Amino acid sequence: MLRNYLKISLRTLVRNKLYTTLNVAGLTFGISCFLLIGLYLFDELTYDKHHSKADRIYRVIEHKKSSTEDLTIAAASYKLAEESKKSVSGIENMTRFSRIGRANISNPATQNKFNETISFCDQNLLEIFDFELIEGDRKTALKEPNSIILVEELAQRLFNTSKIVGKTVKIDFLETPLKVTAVLKNHPRNSSYDFNFMITESTFAQDENFKARMANDWSSHSYSVFALLKENAKPQDISAKITQFVLSNFKPEAGTTMVFSLQPLVDMHLYS
């Protein structure tokens, strides 16, 4: 009986070629659209979830309001990042990084040179975020001054290999060459981070002017700051403690209010 049904169906399809073609084309188009939309949604909804601690990582946001402005700023100060992890209960760790313009990075041996965005970070970045390393030790890679970590793609462009730990690169505005201490795998496509390298913050901390600027920096917006909260810590409670802590060390101008909140890492892509 099944064979007869199949024969009848095939004959009907052959007799009505235009009708069959339109139906098959419509079905194919519909399935293709469904799959493409599904893949797009999956990509969007999984941004930054490749970090194992993603559900406990939060970006510090400042809300600043006065009679002339009402600002929401996804950045914070050096002292907030440095001192909060010591003084605010519920914070397991904090990290900060900053971008300071563009400059040429080169391989001193070949003068192979590329213009890139200059980024630097503290030593905690690789302890909080799971950027995958090809070479190097994540516990020590960001500790020493005059050190740098590169992503694989830039390492290939500079040296034609990603096995470059121990070699040096030159940044135009820095006198001392930087030692490569780690090479990271290229960032996933659904990552909020696109830096090609990070210089250690301790490289700049050797400078007296940098030390002087950072010594009382409670109010600048120089850094992207991320907090890793302890298990079961409530973001609302931690953000209130951060606000109280900062205001105990810095007084805004009269008529200006300063409040901090915590934005989940996994919300950054869709809600920023």
Side-chain angles (χ1 to χ4, degrees), residues 18 65 102 104 143 148 172 185 218 229 259:
L18 179 60
K65 190 173 183 178
R102 297 182 69 89
N104 290 327
K143 286 189 175 181
I148 188 172
D172 276 358
K185 275 196 172 182
W218 289 97
L229 302 192
V259 177

Side-chain angles (χ1 to χ4, degrees), residues 113-136:
K113 183 181 295 185
F114 300 95
N115 190 260
E116 298 286 343
T117 299
I118 304 299
S119 303
F120 69 90
C121 65
D122 68 1
Q123 66 184 35
N124 301 324
L125 184 75
L126 297 180
E127 296 176 15
I128 294 177
F129 293 98
D130 296 329
F131 297 116
E132 191 172 349
L133 271 63
I134 294 175
E135 258 198 315

Side-chain angles (χ1 to χ4, degrees), residues 24-38:
V24 171
L27 180 63
T28 302
F29 180 75
I31 292 174
S32 298
C33 287
F34 171 78
L35 291 174
L36 289 172
I37 292 171

Side-chain angles (χ1 to χ4, degrees), residues 95-113:
T95 189
R96 58 186 176 270
F97 61 85
S98 182
R99 295 182 177 183
I100 55 174
R102 297 182 69 89
N104 290 327
I105 180 172
S106 60
N107 175 351
T110 64
Q111 296 303 310
N112 208 6
K113 183 181 295 185

